[in-house]
Amino acid sequence: MGVSGCGKSTVAAALASAIDARFCDADDLHPAENIAKMARGEALTDADRGPWLQSCGAALRAEPKVVLACSALRRAYRDQLRAVVPDLRFVHLAAPQAVLAARLVQRQGHFMPQSLLASQYAVLEVPTADEALELDAMAPLDQLLDAVLRHL
């Protein structure tokens, strides 16, 4: 979990491969209306995220072993996902906003513009230590993967 550009998809795909699980990117579960809204530079509301979070929950329930890359910015969103999968675990990839803004400027072909990053930080409710493992998103992928595997 984390804001756009923190490396959720990269870390989640590597984890899924390491534990022989299905990888699912929550970006692929957004309704077309959400994608269009974000592409226009408009931040999503809680109402916009409702159907998307339901799709994320369904994806988590679909198979016994699923790794989902999902922003899950608010505790209420994480609680909604935990209601579907009670033993769900979260890893928060954290990094300074300026660093991720620079990453997003370089990213090609994604609907989420760099201009919405500040709105994601404004919505982010940083999870407590008992809710999620927090890792430095700037660490090398192999170190991140090792930390997640130890955590699990």
Side-chain angles (χ1 to χ4, degrees):
M1 65 153 290
V3 298
S4 188
C6 71
K8 296 181 297 291
S9 298
T10 301
V11 174
L15 176 61
S17 178
I19 64 171
D20 195 29
R22 183 173 68 89
F23 166 68
C24 183
D25 194 324
D27 283 349
D28 297 334
L29 303 175
H30 274 292
E33 300 82 24
N34 285 9
I35 292 172
K37 188 172 184 177
M38 287 183 281
R40 290 191 306 267
E42 299 174 35
L44 297 180
T45 64
D46 285 349
D48 295 327
R49 288 185 180 98
W52 170 69
L53 286 165
Q54 289 176 351
S55 294
C56 290
L60 287 168
R61 238 188 356 256
E63 295 179 39
K65 288 173 63 174
V66 177
V67 178
L68 176 69
C70 179
S71 57
L73 298 174
R74 292 188 192 273
R75 178 157 193 140
Y77 307 160
R78 297 186 293 272
D79 289 345
Q80 185 174 340
L81 295 173
R82 273 192 293 270
V84 175
V85 180
D87 61 346
L88 184 63
R89 301 223 191 137
F90 288 90
V91 175
H92 176 217
L93 298 175
Q97 185 172 340
V99 171
L100 295 185
R103 272 190 186 179
L104 291 178
V105 167
Q106 302 301 315
R107 187 162 68 176
Q108 301 288 320
H110 195 276
F111 58 82
M112 174 75 175
Q114 183 270 337
S115 62
L116 287 178
L117 185 60
S119 70
Q120 285 201 320
Y121 273 96
V123 169
L124 176 64
E125 295 173 358
V126 175
T128 58
D130 65 328
E131 187 186 7
L133 171 66
E134 184 170 296
L135 298 175
D136 179 355
M138 305 315 297
L141 178 58
D142 61 333
Q143 289 178 16
L144 293 169
L145 183 57
D146 287 345
V148 174
L149 289 169
R150 281 193 310 273
H151 176 68
L152 294 177

